[in-house]
Amino acid sequence: MSLYYKWKKFEEDEDRPEKPRRFGVTEMRGPNHTLLTQNVLQEIFESMGQFVDGLKFSGGSHSLMPKSFLKQVIDMAHQHDVYVSTGDWAEHMIRKGPSAFNDFVEECKQMGFDTIELNVPSLEVPEDTLLRYVRLIKSGGLKAKPQFAVKFNESDIPTGGNRAFGAYVPPPPPRSTELVEDVDLLIRRAERCLEAGADMIMIDAEDLCKHADSVRADIIAKVIGRLGLEKTMFEASNARASEWFVKQYGPRVNLFVDHSQVMDLECLRGRNLGKNHSSVLGSSYFLF
């Protein structure tokens, strides 16, 4: 172990795993709703870089930055063993044409990105196409991380069960505006993405843990039970949700948090020194 404090939450004699970690991953939100300068990022990496595994450019924020600046940020992250993710931007590139996705993967590789995230609800593509995108990312030498939500467009839910590869595909119904909760469909599609080579599955906080008083513990438990703790990452959109995840699943849970929550989360993972949000963490709030 390094100069940092030791964990005593995995096993009695097991320290905080060194990076790169397979579990207990903390992915940090990069510039999105607020502007993070190079100096701010440098301070975060220098003071808490040991506890930050990944940096994600949310909402396509990297597309607004000069490439020279973006490359400097990516190089800075790599100096601190922090991987860099594109965030959910691929769906905008796909709309530019059939070859646009290949160009996007190649450009991400040249810029130094490590992971390409695929926002599955926004892609609006058939499952076979989604799996092809995952394989293209992997063949380009990058990591693939599909992001799923628990609610699907009603017209996207198969009516005849799972079809075999090469089976007749009936014409799709008109697009619906109604969203239907289907956790089993989420899990099945996530399993196929993992089989195609995806490195991790991101679960959107919307409808699961966006509000601390309505965490869907039943759905979260089912997703982790089927996909495994190491292959899932949850978006914890507030500090109370982060605390709930660590209390329920221990320090091994993978979380995506705002940069302002990194230190609090690490304290929770290690010695429970984080802020006390227990006043809103009664179990009756989370079990449905």
Side-chain angles (χ1 to χ4, degrees):
M1 191 59 187
S2 62
L3 298 175
Y4 301 95
Y5 67 78
K6 296 183 178 182
W7 283 17
K8 295 299 179 185
K9 297 290 281 188
F10 287 97
E11 300 293 343
E12 184 60 27
D13 297 321
E14 185 178 356
D15 295 335
R16 176 66 155 115
E18 296 282 3
K19 296 192 295 186
R21 290 182 271 263
R22 296 180 295 106
F23 48 78
V25 173
T26 296
E27 185 172 286
M28 182 182 78
R29 179 182 287 108
N32 187 13
H33 303 296
T34 58
L35 180 63
L36 293 183
T37 65
Q38 280 195 62
N39 290 338
V40 173
L41 287 172
Q42 182 72 31
E43 290 174 359
I44 293 174
F45 291 147
E46 289 181 353
S47 61
M48 297 182 289
Q50 177 73 7
F51 312 128
V52 178
D53 297 273
L55 173 68
K56 173 180 172 179
F57 286 88
S58 298
S61 56
H62 65 277
S63 65
L64 303 176
M65 301 176 184
K67 288 186 177 181
S68 58
F69 175 84
L70 182 61
K71 190 69 169 64
Q72 291 174 5
V73 172
I74 293 174
D75 290 343
M76 182 196 307
H78 288 164
Q79 290 171 8
H80 295 272
D81 297 321
V82 174
Y83 70 80
V84 185
S85 171
T86 61
D88 46 352
W89 186 245
E91 61 270 23
H92 298 284
M93 307 305 298
I94 290 172
R95 297 189 179 100
K96 293 185 177 182
S99 63
F101 189 77
N102 287 332
D103 296 338
F104 174 64
V105 172
E106 183 60 31
E107 183 177 6
C108 288
K109 186 175 182 179
Q110 292 179 0
M111 290 298 298
F113 281 100
D114 306 284
T115 301
I116 293 180
E117 190 167 300
L118 298 172
N119 190 324
V120 177
S122 299
L123 285 175
E124 297 182 354
V125 296
E127 184 176 293
D128 289 347
T129 303
L130 171 62
L131 299 181
R132 181 167 59 85
Y133 289 156
V134 170
R135 296 186 184 101
L136 283 173
I137 294 172
K138 297 297 294 182
S139 64
L142 302 176
K143 292 185 177 181
K145 184 167 63 174
Q147 175 180 328
F148 286 90
V150 71
K151 288 188 176 180
F152 293 83
N153 190 299
E154 187 178 29
S155 58
D156 291 337
I157 298 178
T159 57
N162 295 331
R163 64 180 182 83
F165 179 76
Y168 168 71
V169 181
R175 294 290 296 175
S176 169
T177 58
E178 182 177 356
L179 296 178
V180 180
E181 184 176 293
D182 194 332
V183 65
D184 290 321
L185 180 59
L186 181 160
I187 292 172
R188 288 199 303 270
R189 290 189 172 176
E191 286 175 334
R192 289 170 183 151
C193 285
L194 291 173
E195 291 170 357
D199 298 272
M200 188 173 288
I201 302 297
M202 170 72 83
I203 305 298
D204 193 357
E206 195 75 29
D207 306 315
L208 282 184
C209 55
K210 184 175 182 179
H211 304 288
D213 59 349
S214 60
V215 173
R216 292 298 305 273
D218 54 339
I219 293 177
I220 293 170
K222 194 169 186 178
V223 169
I224 290 177
R226 288 277 296 276
L227 302 181
L229 200 60
E230 293 184 11
K231 289 296 184 179
T232 52
M233 175 176 287
F234 293 91
E235 180 182 358
S237 54
N238 55 69
R240 289 173 292 180
S242 297
E243 183 172 357
W244 182 87
F245 274 108
V246 175
K247 285 192 172 184
Q248 293 294 317
Y249 293 100
R252 292 174 178 261
V253 66
N254 303 316
L255 295 177
F256 168 58
V257 300
D258 189 75
H259 71 278
S260 61
Q261 301 175 27
V262 170
M263 183 59 76
D264 191 24
L265 173 57
E266 189 63 25
C267 290
L268 288 169
R269 290 189 192 275
R271 293 183 176 178
N272 286 326
L273 298 177
K275 299 175 183 177
N276 183 4
H277 307 289
S278 59
S279 60
V280 295
L281 286 174
S283 59
S284 59
Y285 286 98
F286 302 100
L287 299 177
F288 293 83

